[in-house]
Structure formats: structure tokens, C-alpha cells
Amino acid sequence: MAKVQVVFHIDEMEKWGLLLNNVQNLIHGLAGTDSRIEVVANSKAVEFYRAAANTNGTGLALKLAEAGVDFAACGNALRGLKIEPEELLPFIRTVPSGVLELVKRQQAGYAYLKP
Amino acid sequence: MAKVQVVFHIDEMEKWGLLLNNVQNLIHGLAGTDSRIEVVANSKAVEFYRAAANTNGTGLALKLAEAGVDFAACGNALRGLKIEPEELLPFIRTVPSGVLELVKRQQAGYAYLKP
Amino acid sequence: MAKVQVVFHIDEMEKWGLLLNNVQNLIHGLAGTDSRIEVVANSKAVEFYRAAANTNGTGLALKLAEAGVDFAACGNALRGLKIEPEELLPFIRTVPSGVLELVKRQQAGYAYLKP
């Protein structure tokens, strides 16, 4: 199989459990394949990235980040919710615009998934 | 960056606020880039396009349309909801099938976003 | 129009009515065009595929399958919900991973739709 590139989109807090499960299944299904997996959170879903959110699932997110998954936060959403970069979990990357990130990735050949 | 082409998909009334905010952020992030942004509404989301709906957000939609965003309504959905073309806001374009429009755009290289 | 290839994604039971309606409209809009339409269900949406579910809509799903639509079930989701392959409607194809199937299809040029 050709190199696999996937970008996941999430904008609702309630979808994190489903999304992380999807990512985990994808990694398992890809075992050994050259791949790039990115998760882009915008709107209220960025709240999950706050270290203080103590949300179920941040442990799994960290494990997936250590397995190479790239977690990105929308800078517009962070600003709107008054979340400071230093409040985020340490493995989160901030991008200026979540939607623009999603568009750029698709232009670069990434598949798009919205759980 | 290469020419940016994006099609947004909406089929639920409750998602209009999020979608219009996403479009606005994308336009801001693209400032000056050659781009095409289209919004395709099908199912119950076409109700937003009725001039008489008086929905919050139609003012922002008009502003975005003036900035070049192309708003399309699914003809199947309009028929199903018995909405006549003349009831629509003046800047709405009707397409025969919303899903077919979304497919054609992706085939033409548009990125797909479902807020 | 070029050959049309589309993959629909569903992960919530409540979306089946909307999805099947979208597929039906797409088939109608494509009348006579060379096309491939696939529906990939993962997470809780695979429950719809159980013959014993007696869900409204399985009649329409059968009709669409007879018209050439390929219905796939995520094997991970079936295992998680303890649904055995022999419990499924006879026209369902099981794939190891729903998300991987969705990625592979997009890599093969399929448009992605999430109703």
C-alpha cells in the first residue's frame, strides 16, 4: 500500500472517545506501513487539550502521540475560548487556523476523516 | 500556496453558526490567496436559506457571499421541504443534488470539510 | 462526467435515514453514469446491519445494494459490539477496519461524504 496520510477532524468534545478509538484502530490496521496521522481540533473540541481538563482519554492521546500521531489545536479556537498555549498538554502543536490546516493537508494528499 | 478550493457540507440547522465561523476564519487565514469557497446545504439545513427564516447568521452569510463565498442549496431537499426557489435569500444558488455537487467538487480537487 | 467514485461514512445509528436518502438521491442524480458507491459503517452504526435489528430502512438498504451499492461493516466495531458475522444482513461485506477502508478508498480517488 502507498504511503498513508490521514487527517482527522474534531470540533465537538463528545467525539473524542470515538476519535481516539478510530485513530488507535487505524494505527493497528496500518502496522508497519509508512504513515502520517494528524488530528486537528477546532471549535469547542480544543478544550480537551487543556492539561487541567483532566478528561478521560488524555492518557490514550499521549500514548498515540508517542506512537507518532500529530495533535494540532486551532489557534482561533484557543483565542476564542481564552485558553493560553501554556495551559495545553505538552504534546499539542498550535496552528493558526484549524480549517486552513485541514485544507492544506487534503491538498497534500491526506485522506479526511470526521468521526 | 497553490490555489485553494474548499467545499463545506452542512445538513443540520444547528451547525450553521459553527460553519459560518469556520468559513470566516478560513477567509481570514487565506487573505490574498487565490481561492474558491463553496457551501453546500442539503437535508434540513436548507431551511436556513429561506428569507423568512429570520435566522441569526443570515447577515454573516450575506457578508461572506459578498466576499465571494458560493452558497448552494440542494434541489432535492428544497422539494422535500416544499420550499420554493423564490422564498430563498437572493444570493443562494440551487443545484439539482447536494450530494452530487459535493462529489463533483471533490473530483475537481476541492478539499471537503464537514463542521 | 468522469467515473464517479464515492464512499459514505456513518458511525451513528440516527444518521441511517439521512444517509440512505443521500445515497438514493446520488444514484438518481448519476443515472446512467459509470459509478461506484460504497457505504462504510463503523462504531455503533454497524448495529443497523444486524438482520434482527428490524430497523426501518433495511428494506431501502437492500434495494440500494441490489442497485450496486457496496455496504461494508467495520470488523473492529462488530467485535466490540459482539455481533457475529452470521447475524448480519446477507448483503453486508465485512472489512478489517472501517477507518482504514475509508482511507484506502480516498487514496484510490473516491470522494468522501459524511452525512
Side-chain angles (χ1 to χ4, degrees), chain C residues 13-76:
Chain C
M13 280 295 279
E14 315 81 68
K15 296 289 174 69
W16 274 107
L18 176 58
L19 181 137
L20 295 173
N21 192 255
N22 279 191
V23 172
Q24 199 171 28
N25 282 336
L26 183 60
I27 288 176
H28 188 261
L30 287 171
T33 313
D34 184 17
S35 62
R36 294 263 321 138
I37 300 176
E38 180 171 336
V39 174
V40 177
N42 68 341
S43 188
K44 291 177 184 166
V46 299
E47 173 73 22
F48 176 80
Y49 287 153
R50 290 180 63 235
N54 284 318
T55 323
N56 281 336
T58 54
L60 176 52
L62 172 60
K63 191 182 126 190
L64 295 171
E66 286 171 352
V69 176
D70 180 16
F71 287 89
C74 172
N76 291 317

Side-chain angles (χ1 to χ4, degrees), chain A residues 9 11-12 15 42-44 74 76-77 79 96-104 106-107 112 114, chain B residues 1-6 8 15 18 22-23 25-26 28-30 106 109-115:
Chain A
H9 180 195
D11 50 19
E12 297 172 283
K15 295 290 174 69
N42 68 341
S43 189
K44 291 178 184 164
C74 173
N76 291 317
R79 208 163 37 248
S97 160
V99 283
L100 184 55
E101 177 76 4
L102 288 161
V103 170
K104 283 181 182 173
Q106 289 185 66
Q107 286 193 319
Y112 172 88
K114 179 86 188 297
Chain B
M1 188 161 54
K3 180 169 179 174
V4 171
Q5 300 184 115
V6 187
F8 284 87
K15 296 289 174 70
L18 176 57
N22 279 191
V23 172
N25 282 336
L26 183 59
H28 188 261
L30 287 172
Q106 289 185 68
Y110 281 58
Y112 172 87
L113 287 175
K114 179 86 189 296

